[in-house]
Amino acid sequence: MKNLFFVAGTFSILFISCSKREPAPVDDNQNIKMQYDTTAIDSFSAGATSVDIVRQIRMSSQRYQDSLKEALRIQKEEKRIKEELEKENKKKQEEEKKKTEKEDKEKAPVKASV
């Protein structure tokens, strides 16, 4: 009987010591840093703006400015191309006009002599 108590006591001590242990709860309140999404001046006043919204406004306005510059550049490029085409058309018309005048001058003496 003494051996049975000894074996039972030893087995219970072994079972308790080898069981899965849960970690002790750590005080997380000291390690957490608060991350605010509003400006630091006075986030509760009227007109306080979220940091994300301010960032989006700045990005959108920069994009807007870039798009305006791009549109202006494209417009200037189109205008330049259009002017070049008009100049080429004018040159072609002048050359055709000169050719027709030259042909008319060549044909006029021929008609007069007939």
Side-chain angles (χ1 to χ4, degrees), residues 93-106:
Q93 287 176 354
E94 287 178 9
E95 288 177 6
E96 288 179 12
K97 188 176 180 182
K98 287 180 182 179
K99 285 182 182 179
T100 55
E101 287 178 1
K102 191 175 185 181
E103 289 176 1
D104 288 342
K105 285 182 183 179
E106 290 177 0

Side-chain angles (χ1 to χ4, degrees), residues 21-91:
R21 294 181 184 174
E22 294 182 12
V26 179
D27 190 15
D28 290 335
N29 293 337
Q30 294 175 354
N31 297 335
I32 295 177
K33 289 185 180 179
M34 298 302 288
Q35 295 179 355
Y36 297 103
D37 64 342
T38 54
T39 56
I41 296 170
D42 187 8
S43 62
F44 300 108
S45 67
T49 309
S50 170
V51 173
D52 293 330
I53 293 172
V54 171
R55 189 174 129 262
Q56 288 176 353
I57 290 170
R58 287 181 185 158
M59 287 174 54
S60 66
S61 70
Q62 182 65 35
R63 284 188 212 139
Y64 180 72
Q65 296 299 325
D66 290 344
S67 67
L68 285 179
K69 289 177 185 177
E70 184 68 21
L72 185 62
R73 186 188 63 79
I74 290 172
Q75 188 178 15
K76 286 181 181 180
E77 184 69 22
E78 288 175 352
K79 185 177 179 181
R80 184 186 63 82
I81 291 171
K82 190 174 182 180
E83 288 176 356
E84 287 180 5
L85 287 174
E86 287 178 5
K87 286 180 182 179
E88 288 179 14
N89 287 337
K90 284 183 182 179
K91 285 182 181 180

